[in-house]
Amino acid sequence: MSLKADLVARIAAQGPITVADYMLQALLHPQHGYYTTRDPLGAAGDFTTAPEISQMFGELVGLSLAQSWLDQGAPSPFVLAELGPGRGTLMADILRAVSGVPGFIEAAQIVLVEASPVLQERQRETLKQYDVTWVADIANLPQHPLWLVANEFFDALPVRQFQRAGNGWRERCIGVSEGALTFGLSPVGPQAALDYRLEDTEDGDLVELCNPARAIVARIGAQIATQGGAALIVDYGDWRSQGDTLQALQDHQPVDPLAAPGQADLTTHVDFEALAQAATPAQFARVTPQGVFLERLGITARAQALATKLDGAALNDHIAAHRRLTHPDEMGNLFKVLGLYPANAAPPPGLTP
Ligand code: SAH
């Protein structure tokens, strides 16, 4: 039975499900989930990401994390963690770039948080020269100072969607009509977690609530505040998100999110304000466009140094990759960096308080 048929049968029997339930099933169903059954990255997959575009992304992220570790007195041991590491490319680029920082790799316990068995296998292969452990849940990170990175992880977490109705909200749900999955709305009710959105919304406006993201960032923030460390969270989104941002990508093209659950990537924009608030008592750095972050860390000088070793098509690809990561019309502005760090410490380089 396909996941779609499975969901249609379940909804017909038990009633509509939330958007969050739908996303969770579509992405992580043990047999049919999008991430559980495939490696979706790269040109032959459905989408590509900054670390897959160029090694420069991971190198500069690595140098920012390592400098932050030095700034906080180079604690040993510490946890170097990544959430949703995909093919392991970002972590491999980080580790290569920081190999010249004395003591860093020796002090690091490398921990990856990954839900997909297929991608975990891929990460094991990419990182085979390092001592790496995996945990399924962030609650199982060792309690040491924590330097953490997450690129395009939070956009994959399930969101609930609510439409304003007077001073209450209707939840957007997924039901079945004539055998097909279709969106609908629940009856109106209060939503305490959305009281603050009564200030900036009107009747009919849609807002998203990502409870798993808040819970994960709360844990990271607590660990960084008490043990030391820093986090770099990179994703597309804005300080406060509004409207329906659920999108599905298949073969690099947008598709109907309900058309083929488990076959297309589903994402939403990240609400950075919600993450920054959840991180308290850790401090957050001003949310910074990816292009600005990478320029401050010296991506242009790094791109020029790499360019001296390239020619022909490889050089053209390299120039295009630099532009793609940084240019405001490409990923430079759409993607943002949220940095977390303890009180009485400096933010990771590339970010400002
Ligand atoms: N960071 C990588 C991959 C991004 S794709 C890159 O930039 O290339 C999203 C990643 O998050 C995948 O590795 C996916 O399997 C993982 N993932 C998605 N939901 C998850 C969850 N709830 N828990 C752990 N990992 C998850």
Side-chain angles (χ1 to χ4, degrees):
M1 201 192 230
S2 72
L3 180 56
K4 189 170 182 177
D6 197 80
L7 288 171
V8 166
R10 182 176 137 196
I11 292 168
Q14 296 170 18
I17 60 173
T18 65
V19 173
D21 265 349
Y22 177 76
M23 285 184 78
L24 188 63
Q25 296 299 317
L27 295 177
L28 293 178
H29 184 283
Q31 281 89 46
H32 306 295
Y34 179 74
Y35 282 115
T36 23
T37 54
R38 81 200 68 210
D39 169 2
L41 289 148
D46 293 314
F47 63 96
T48 193
T49 57
E52 299 299 330
I53 290 169
S54 168
Q55 68 187 74
M56 295 187 290
F57 181 79
E59 291 171 351
L60 294 168
V61 164
L63 293 175
S64 177
L65 293 174
Q67 185 61 51
S68 164
W69 175 76
L70 290 170
D71 290 344
Q72 291 184 41
S76 175
F78 77 95
V79 176
L80 178 62
E82 182 176 357
L83 308 182
R87 293 177 165 177
T89 309
L90 172 56
M91 186 52 81
D93 291 337
I94 289 172
L95 292 169
R96 196 183 57 255
V98 301
S99 61
V101 178
F104 185 87
I105 290 184
E106 295 71 17
Q109 292 183 6
I110 304 165
V111 183
L112 305 180
V113 181
E114 175 56 70
S116 161
V118 177
L119 288 171
Q120 185 174 326
E121 216 29 66
R122 186 79 201 236
Q123 293 152 21
R124 194 184 305 283
E125 180 58 27
T126 310
L127 297 166
K128 57 177 180 283
Q129 66 187 103
Y130 300 102
D131 193 2
V132 177
T133 54
W134 281 264
V135 296
D137 189 327
I138 184 126
N140 298 330
L141 286 183
Q143 287 299 306
H144 296 304
L146 171 66
W147 274 267
L148 176 143
V149 63
N151 184 62
E152 291 211 45
F153 167 77
F154 284 96
D155 63 31
L157 298 182
V159 303
R160 295 172 69 184
Q161 294 186 320
F162 294 92
Q163 192 181 63
R164 173 105 183 246
N167 281 340
W169 303 88
R170 293 178 188 279
E171 181 153 15
R172 198 170 183 226
C173 292
I174 292 150
V176 171
S177 168
E178 294 173 8
L181 297 171
T182 159
F183 286 111
L185 290 168
S186 77
V188 185
Q191 280 297 334
L194 291 177
D195 278 351
Y196 76 109
R197 299 306 304 263
L198 294 174
E199 290 161 22
D200 71 322
T201 53
E202 293 174 5
D203 245 15
D205 285 348
L206 192 137
V207 300
E208 295 173 335
L209 185 62
C210 190
N211 287 323
R214 290 173 188 230
I216 290 169
V217 172
R219 282 197 174 269
I220 297 168
Q223 187 161 346
I224 287 173
T226 53
Q227 308 267 350
L232 293 173
I233 294 171
V234 188
D235 230 308
Y236 43 89
D238 283 303
W239 179 246
R240 182 178 282 203
S241 73
Q242 187 163 319
D244 170 20
T245 72
L246 179 65
Q247 55 178 359
L249 269 190
Q250 199 168 0
D251 199 12
H252 299 262
Q253 299 298 323
V255 294
D256 172 357
L258 300 186
Q263 304 296 315
D265 187 34
L266 291 181
T267 61
T268 62
H269 285 199
V270 169
D271 183 327
F272 285 104
E273 180 188 36
L275 299 194
Q277 303 298 351
T280 314
Q283 310 194 71
F284 59 88
R286 184 189 302 261
V287 170
T288 303
Q290 173 175 299
V292 173
F293 173 73
L294 294 174
E295 291 297 352
R296 284 182 184 152
L297 294 171
I299 193 170
T300 299
R302 181 69 184 132
Q304 284 163 349
L306 287 170
T308 60
K309 298 177 200 123
L310 300 170
D311 58 18
L315 179 59
N316 287 340
D317 286 352
H318 171 63
I319 293 167
H322 175 215
R323 183 185 150 90
R324 196 152 167 214
L325 289 179
T326 57
H327 197 281
D329 293 341
E330 305 226 18
M331 297 173 80
N333 224 6
L334 181 63
F335 282 74
K336 313 279 192 315
V337 186
L338 174 68
L340 306 177
Y341 58 105
N344 309 318
L351 301 176
T352 56

